[in-house]
Amino acid sequence: MRLLKVATCNLNQWAMEFDTNLKNIKESIIKAKEAGAVIRLGPELEITGYGCEDHFLELDTISHAWECLKDLLLGDWTDGILCSFGMPVIKGSERYNCQVLCMNRKIIMIRAKMWLANDGNYRELRWFTAWKQKDQLEEFQLPCDISEALQQKTVPFGYGFMQFLDTAVAAEICEELFTPIPPHTELALNGVEVFMNASGSHHQLRKLDLRIRAFIGATHTRGGVYMYSNHQGCDGGRLYYDGCACVVVNGDVVAQGSQFSLRDVEVVVAQIDLDAVASLRGSISSFQEQASCKRSVASVDVPYKLCRPFNLQMSLSSPLKESYSPEDNRFDLRQFLYNSRWPYQFRKIDELVNELSVDNGASTSNGVGIVAAGSADPKAGL
């Protein structure tokens, strides 16, 4: 069992209010850490605020965003937790709407938004360029003061995912979810299990239902954990946000924040079992067939583990994996009768406990093992 605790946020950020925004970000990290989360997701462009509009064209806006990020990375805020921060980034002569993924005081990668919102109330193409290089990650030269402070010169930039020792994590930014071929489809085929969607979605009648159905659809057929973070309140721009950060696992909403909250910071935490994702994917034969035809997506190897070790317990069923009723017997391939004493299973547990906690033979003070003759153990006494 791979247990993973994640945290996603509703934040009341204000455009260009860097002190307030940074304060809210730090408070959300504190709450996430207190809950034991190892992933913290914040909303789109959370450092600057989403509604900066033409202020995105000013170099100072970008510089201040980097200064706030440096503040977060020089402290202990990212120690032991993967944090996704939304901010604008200039690469070459272009501005990009990005998620900066950080852990243990380092920038792991910068994920640039590939599909920009440019209809209705949205004007992202006025300020940002859509990232189009999907085949490989490029090296991004960090600003001089950031590079010197972090002792880190470059970072992978573009479209890709993070491969940890025990799972794979990727970002899907707001509008990308609603495109004809959303990134999570090919990311799932590349083994990604956790998707982080940082959003700046404004309130509109029945729009929340549209979002929830999209999250459910993204994980129902392919399996996965979908984290969603959003702004709440009015950030001083033209939009009003309704929050409702949530976590969806294999098509089920397992945690959801409030709508129209008056709090500046709301953190939604969920503990999930990633083996439930593997179980669903393994049961879908078509998924395995598609996986053989997957298009490779660039990845960044991260030498950390995110999942908690499973301390040893026994459960007849997991509510995230199975939900049975008396009417489900037509599709239930389990047997009807059980030996409720579970003699074999409990014996194996007892054997494992004895192996871990008790020596099977006496030992002397000089470290030489004493075993019974005829034990057939070639390593006895070594």
Side-chain angles (χ1 to χ4, degrees):
M1 184 177 291
R2 293 176 296 148
L3 299 179
L4 183 70
K5 186 168 285 190
V6 300
T8 183
C9 315
N10 292 326
L11 299 185
N12 185 14
Q13 306 296 79
W14 280 81
M16 306 298 291
E17 286 286 343
F18 293 96
D19 285 336
T20 300
N21 294 348
L22 189 59
K23 174 180 175 293
N24 290 345
I25 291 170
K26 289 181 176 179
E27 184 177 341
S28 71
I29 296 175
I30 290 173
K31 291 184 177 181
K33 284 188 172 184
E34 288 176 347
V38 293
I39 297 179
R40 177 266 179 199
L41 171 66
E44 185 178 15
L45 296 169
E46 62 179 320
I47 291 181
T48 59
Y50 185 86
C52 294
E53 305 200 13
D54 279 3
H55 287 293
F56 284 125
L57 302 176
E58 301 171 2
L59 290 178
D60 281 354
T61 303
I62 312 297
S63 298
H64 295 330
W66 278 112
E67 291 164 0
C68 291
L69 182 66
K70 181 172 71 172
D71 185 300
L72 291 167
L73 290 172
L74 289 181
D76 61 356
W77 302 102
T78 63
D79 288 358
I81 186 169
L82 173 65
C83 291
S84 179
F85 302 119
M87 60 177 276
V89 175
I90 294 179
K91 185 179 187 297
S93 60
E94 306 290 346
R95 287 172 175 80
Y96 295 97
N97 179 346
C98 296
Q99 288 301 119
V100 183
L101 302 152
C102 307
M103 188 175 186
N104 292 338
R105 311 191 188 195
K106 296 291 183 183
I107 301 175
I108 297 176
M109 70 172 289
I110 299 177
R111 167 70 156 83
K113 192 173 183 180
M114 298 184 296
W115 291 83
L116 300 180
N118 208 59
D119 60 335
N121 288 323
Y122 294 96
R123 298 288 185 273
E124 288 186 13
L125 280 173
R126 179 179 175 90
W127 312 299
F128 303 111
T129 298
W131 181 256
K132 296 299 184 183
Q133 308 300 321
K134 296 185 178 181
D135 296 331
Q136 62 183 6
L137 290 166
E138 297 184 1
E139 286 297 312
F140 175 76
Q141 181 71 46
L142 293 173
C144 293
D145 57 333
I146 302 295
S147 178
E148 293 175 2
L150 303 181
Q151 298 297 303
Q152 183 180 3
K153 293 183 179 180
T154 62
V155 62
F157 185 101
Y159 170 55
F161 64 92
M162 295 163 290
Q163 181 65 62
F164 289 83
L165 295 177
D166 47 7
T167 189
V169 182
E172 182 171 69
I173 307 173
C174 197
E175 183 75 7
E176 295 174 350
L177 171 65
F178 302 98
T179 57
I181 306 178
H184 70 257
T185 56
E186 63 180 2
L187 289 168
L189 294 177
N190 279 267
V192 173
E193 296 176 309
V194 181
F195 305 93
M196 304 182 296
N197 189 314
S199 182
S201 184
H202 73 289
H203 171 67
Q204 185 177 326
L205 192 62
R206 290 185 292 276
K207 190 178 182 183
L208 174 60
D209 179 65
L210 176 66
R211 295 199 303 258
I212 294 294
R213 284 190 282 115
F215 307 149
I216 291 174
T219 60
H220 178 70
T221 55
R222 303 175 190 86
V225 178
Y226 207 95
M227 302 170 59
Y228 171 77
S229 177
N230 196 19
H231 295 265
Q232 61 186 13
C234 177
D235 69 352
R238 293 175 291 109
L239 304 178
Y240 187 88
Y241 313 95
D242 57 1
C244 291
C246 64
V247 180
V248 179
V249 180
N250 292 351
D252 294 319
V253 180
V254 298
Q256 183 174 335
S258 58
Q259 190 176 29
F260 307 120
S261 173
L262 297 179
R263 289 174 287 180
D264 290 334
V265 178
E266 183 178 14
V267 177
V268 178
V269 178
Q271 179 164 282
I272 53 184
D273 176 14
L274 289 181
D275 284 342
V277 176
S279 296
L280 177 61
R281 290 184 176 181
S283 65
I284 303 175
S285 60
S286 61
F287 183 92
Q288 295 173 328
E289 294 172 2
Q290 294 172 25
S292 64
C293 303
K294 68 183 180 182
R295 190 184 79 173
S296 179
V297 177
S299 65
V300 178
D301 290 331
V302 186
Y304 303 119
K305 288 186 176 181
L306 291 179
C307 300
R308 292 184 175 182
F310 172 58
N311 294 332
L312 179 64
Q313 64 180 18
M314 192 169 175
S315 172
L316 294 182
S317 64
S318 168
L320 288 179
K321 292 181 182 178
E322 302 169 292
S323 179
Y324 291 96
S325 77
E327 303 301 321
D328 286 334
N329 58 74
R330 292 168 300 170
F331 307 103
D332 191 345
L333 301 182
R334 301 181 304 174
Q335 63 192 76
F336 289 102
L337 299 175
Y338 292 97
N339 182 344
S340 59
R341 293 176 296 174
W342 302 99
Y344 181 89
Q345 292 87 339
F346 285 146
R347 186 173 72 252
K348 289 299 180 181
I349 292 175
D350 291 339
E351 290 174 1
L352 179 59
V353 171
N354 289 333
E355 181 181 341
L356 294 174
S357 61
V358 179
D359 267 332
N360 288 326
S363 63
T364 61
S365 59
N366 61 6
V368 178
I370 307 300
V371 297
S375 65
D377 183 0
K379 296 183 179 180
L382 296 181

